[in-house]
Amino acid sequence: MKRINSSDVIIASLTQRGRNVANLRISGLSDLNQVIEYIKRAINGIIGMTSLRLRNGTQGWVEELHLMFGATTSASRQSRQLSLF
């Protein structure tokens, strides 16, 4: 993985099923884990396989990752009993 400095400007583009779902401009983060956590918070609600293209405009590199996003809240995993009455 390429190096990320806190002064770098990162452009993140997320694509799902061939459709662009988000474009983010990120700065102030210093590693890939921080970038991915930031993206997870920003795209709350997107579920499934997603292509993430990171472009570091400061250093001039591009990296493409494939990530699986899913529902993470405990409420979404709880079973529910439905009643017809």
Side-chain angles (χ1 to χ4, degrees), residues 72-85:
T72 59
T73 61
S74 61
S76 66
R77 285 186 247 140
Q78 292 176 349
S79 61
R80 293 186 178 100
Q81 181 176 356
L82 301 176
S83 175
L84 298 174
F85 302 100

Side-chain angles (χ1 to χ4, degrees), residues 24-65:
L24 304 168
R25 182 183 167 116
I26 305 166
S27 61
L29 304 178
S30 58
D31 67 30
L32 180 62
N33 291 332
Q34 289 178 346
V35 171
I36 290 175
E37 287 302 314
Y38 179 91
I39 291 168
K40 281 183 186 177
R41 286 190 304 273
I43 63 161
N44 188 23
I46 293 177
I47 298 173
M49 182 60 80
T50 305
S51 294
L52 170 62
R53 183 175 183 265
L54 298 174
R55 183 172 67 84
N56 187 325
T58 308
Q59 296 184 23
W61 55 257
V62 175
E63 184 84 17
E64 186 156 349
L65 306 168

